[in-house]
């Protein structure tokens, strides 16, 4: 496995973003992870088990698909990296497989997680069933109501779903509850964070587990195009894990443009938005320093997006760094633009994307590529979980 493509220092900073801001009671847990994660990731026995499960359980490598009709429409060469074909329907399981193997090596018996749309909750409940470990998923009460099918899936898999009743009763509040649980059960519990957020080492750990996405693109692209590198890689950013995985092996290749979409909700200046990089200022949330949508006196602003998976007021510190250094570009995309992109991909390619993913697809209308340029889009997940929303807005 290729690693060390991203400059992160010993304390978990990418430039001025990152770090590990945790309560005293969790220092030991976080330190344990910091001390062991690189060694575990490099261990051949871990790699063997991880790779075997990715292949035979998740269904990797996922296809790199040339989208012919979409390419004709935008007069360029568009390839879709099909993470929607992973077991459970999104890229999230790449990370939960890796973290459950790490938790086993640490002797943890109890797994906790937070979830928004329920995709990370389902991916966590799935690997807990696979390994026979207890699983508790925190989820905002509002999200439990609006994402009923994923709540049912988690229960089928044997997980306990606990409602978070504070704040907007969405992802941020579920994360607060998960951290509270970890504080009360530090010794036997591993917290599987679902994106490249949280205290060091989580952002780096999750990025390295998701890096399989760009590792496969590097193998598949030459076979299909005769070219070693694409001209651009695009992805949507909530916390930023599918984008981190898709960008990872291209970060030190300056000829490859890195382009991401964040959720603008009803519009960047509407007050109903989750466009963290457009609006955020440096601050600390859930254990790391990054951009954060906040008031002048530092209160977190409740975010909004039609897509529960992007409805978060922060962003992973790696992305804050890539944005600050201008290595990657971040564009806000509204609910309406995303919904248009959902219909377009469904009708042109016979693929119904997740709402989150549609934010990345919507950028094709905004960014003009040359005819011969190769653009890889990370198709982070499938749209089954969003059908009710699609019916409501589109039919
Ligand atoms: C959770 C999710 C996202 C957003 O999370 P990232 O960590 O930013 O990748 C994007 N797409 C899908 C399909 C998801 O389930």
């Amino acid at each position: 496995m290729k690693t060390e493509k991203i400059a992160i220092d010993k304390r978990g900073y990418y430039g001025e973003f990152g770090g590990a801001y945790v309560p005293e009671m969790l220092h030991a847990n976080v330190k344990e992870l910091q001390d062991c994660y690189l060694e575990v990731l490099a261990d051949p026995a871990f790699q063997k088990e991880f790779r075997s499960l990715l292949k035979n359980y998740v269904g990797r490598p996922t296809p790199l698909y040339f989208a012919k009709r979409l390419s004709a429409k935008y007069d360029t060469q568009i390839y879709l990296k099909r993470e929607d074909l992973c077991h459970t329907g999104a890229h999230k399981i790449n990370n939960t497989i890796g973290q459950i193997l790490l938790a086993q090596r640490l002797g943890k018996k109890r797994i906790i997680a937070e979830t928004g749309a329920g995709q990370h909750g389902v991916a966590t409940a799935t690997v807990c069933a696979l390994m026979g470990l207890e699983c508790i998923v925190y989820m905002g009460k509002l999200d439990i109501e609006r994402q009923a099918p994923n709540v049912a899936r988690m229960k089928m898999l044997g997980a306990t779903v606990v409602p978070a009743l504070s704040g907007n009763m969405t992802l941020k509040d579920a994360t607060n509850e998960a951290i509270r649980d970890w504080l009360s059960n530090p010794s036997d519990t591993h917290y599987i964070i679902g994106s490249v957020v949280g205290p060091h080492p989580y952002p780096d750990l999750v990025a390295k587990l998701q890096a399989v996405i760009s590792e496969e693109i590097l193998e598949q692209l030459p076979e299909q195009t005769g070219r070693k590198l694409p001209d651009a890689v695009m992805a949507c950013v909530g916390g930023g894990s599918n984008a981190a995985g898709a960008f990872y092996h291209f970060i030190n290749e300056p000829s490859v443009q890195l382009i991401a979409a964040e959720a603008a909700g009803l519009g960047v200046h509407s007050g109903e938005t989750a466009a963290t990089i457009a609006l955020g200022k440096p601050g600390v949330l859930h254990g790391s320093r990054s951009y954060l949508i906040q008031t002048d006196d530092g209160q977190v602003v409740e975010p909004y997006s039609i897509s529960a998976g992007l409805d978060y007021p922060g962003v992973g510190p790696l992305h804050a760094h890539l944005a600050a250094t201008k290595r990657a570009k971040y564009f806000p995309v509204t609910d309406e633009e995303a919904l248009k992109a959902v219909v377009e991909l469904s009708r042109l390619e016979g693929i119904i994307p997740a709402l989150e993913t549609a934010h990345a697809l919507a950028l094709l209308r905004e960014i003009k590529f040359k005819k011969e340029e190769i653009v890889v889009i990370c198709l982070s997940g499938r749209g089954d979980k969003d059908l009710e929303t699609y019916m409501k807005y589109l039919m």
Side-chain angles (χ1 to χ4, degrees):
M1 186 168 75
K2 295 188 184 179
T3 50
E4 300 318 321
K5 288 274 178 170
I6 296 173
I8 181 169
D9 73 15
K10 282 243 165 345
R11 295 173 311 135
Y13 280 88
Y14 305 89
E16 58 172 304
F17 301 104
Y21 298 79
V22 293
E24 185 82 33
M25 294 265 299
L26 284 179
H27 275 178
N29 285 54
V30 169
K31 177 95 172 40
E32 180 182 37
L33 287 173
Q34 288 172 353
D35 289 346
C36 81
Y37 83 106
L38 290 175
E39 213 173 294
V40 170
L41 288 178
D43 176 10
F46 172 90
Q47 280 298 326
K48 190 161 174 247
E49 212 178 341
F50 180 53
R51 298 289 164 165
S52 165
L53 285 169
L54 288 184
K55 178 166 185 259
N56 300 310
Y57 188 72
V58 175
R60 305 203 71 91
T62 59
L64 183 69
Y65 165 68
F66 176 61
K68 196 171 160 198
R69 299 185 68 214
L70 192 68
S71 297
K73 169 147 192 195
Y74 289 101
D75 203 24
T76 187
Q77 312 297 313
I78 301 167
Y79 287 79
L80 303 176
K81 182 60 176 158
R82 298 289 308 274
E83 296 302 295
D84 60 315
L85 295 177
C86 289
H87 180 42
T88 71
H91 66 289
K92 296 249 165 53
I93 194 150
N94 303 325
N95 168 46
T96 58
I97 293 263
Q99 285 204 47
I100 204 83
L101 295 176
L102 174 64
Q104 281 184 320
R105 277 159 177 76
L106 295 175
K108 305 289 181 179
K109 297 279 177 273
R110 188 172 169 273
I111 301 297
I112 59 172
E114 83 295 331
T115 198
Q119 287 301 105
H120 175 57
V122 168
T124 303
T126 299
V127 297
C128 287
L130 179 69
M131 300 299 177
L133 294 177
E134 183 186 1
C135 179
I136 294 112
V137 180
Y138 291 92
M139 187 167 186
K141 186 165 167 284
L142 180 71
D143 288 337
I144 288 182
E145 285 159 13
R146 61 178 176 174
Q147 305 286 336
N150 274 343
V151 176
R153 289 164 87 195
M154 286 183 261
K155 289 185 176 163
M156 280 298 295
L157 294 160
T160 306
V161 180
V162 182
L165 304 172
S166 59
N168 269 14
M169 300 191 272
T170 60
L171 179 55
K172 167 176 68 64
D173 316 296
T175 307
N176 288 336
E177 290 302 322
I179 293 171
R180 211 162 288 150
D181 178 313
W182 209 22
L183 272 168
S184 338
N185 303 284
S187 61
D188 67 339
T189 298
H190 176 66
Y191 177 14
I192 300 191
I193 292 184
S195 190
V196 287
V197 298
H200 176 60
Y202 282 102
D204 192 39
L205 169 65
V206 177
K208 285 183 160 68
L209 293 172
Q210 292 290 0
V212 65
I213 299 172
S214 48
E215 188 185 306
E216 288 176 5
I217 296 171
L218 271 178
E219 282 166 21
Q220 292 165 322
L221 199 69
E223 287 166 16
Q224 294 190 35
T225 68
R227 293 251 324 258
K228 199 170 147 256
L229 296 172
D231 295 289
V233 179
M234 308 210 294
C236 67
V237 170
S241 68
N242 86 90
F247 290 175
Y248 199 87
H249 291 290
F250 301 112
I251 287 177
N252 295 334
E253 302 284 359
S255 72
V256 182
Q257 296 180 60
L258 305 178
I259 300 168
E262 56 176 5
L266 301 183
V268 173
H269 300 293
S270 66
E272 297 290 327
T273 184
T276 309
I277 289 182
L279 291 177
K281 297 190 185 65
V284 172
L285 178 68
H286 298 148
S288 62
R289 184 170 192 276
S290 185
Y291 288 126
L292 183 60
I293 309 181
Q294 53 188 313
T295 59
D296 288 340
D297 55 357
Q299 296 296 316
V300 178
V301 173
E302 296 291 346
Y304 164 79
S305 163
I306 191 172
S307 147
L310 305 182
D311 194 354
Y312 185 69
V315 66
L318 166 64
H319 291 289
H321 177 65
L322 293 176
T325 56
K326 302 197 162 46
R327 174 62 189 99
K329 283 196 183 127
Y330 297 78
F331 294 87
V333 170
T334 63
D335 291 357
E336 202 182 319
E337 292 166 325
L339 286 167
K340 273 191 198 147
V342 168
V343 178
E344 182 172 84
L345 191 74
S346 303
R347 304 288 162 87
L348 284 179
E349 297 290 346
I351 299 170
I352 304 171
L355 258 175
E356 292 83 6
T357 314
H359 287 71
L361 296 162
L363 289 180
L364 289 168
R365 286 167 189 270
E366 237 162 278
I367 303 165
K368 179 77 188 118
F369 294 100
K370 295 194 191 97
K371 189 173 180 57
E372 68 282 3
E373 283 186 318
I374 293 175
V375 181
V376 175
I377 303 176
C378 185
L379 207 79
S380 58
R382 64 180 183 225
D384 306 38
K385 70 183 175 59
D386 299 311
L387 282 179
E388 201 177 314
T389 308
Y390 296 165
M391 289 296 119
K392 193 161 121 201
Y393 286 92
L394 304 171
M395 295 298 150

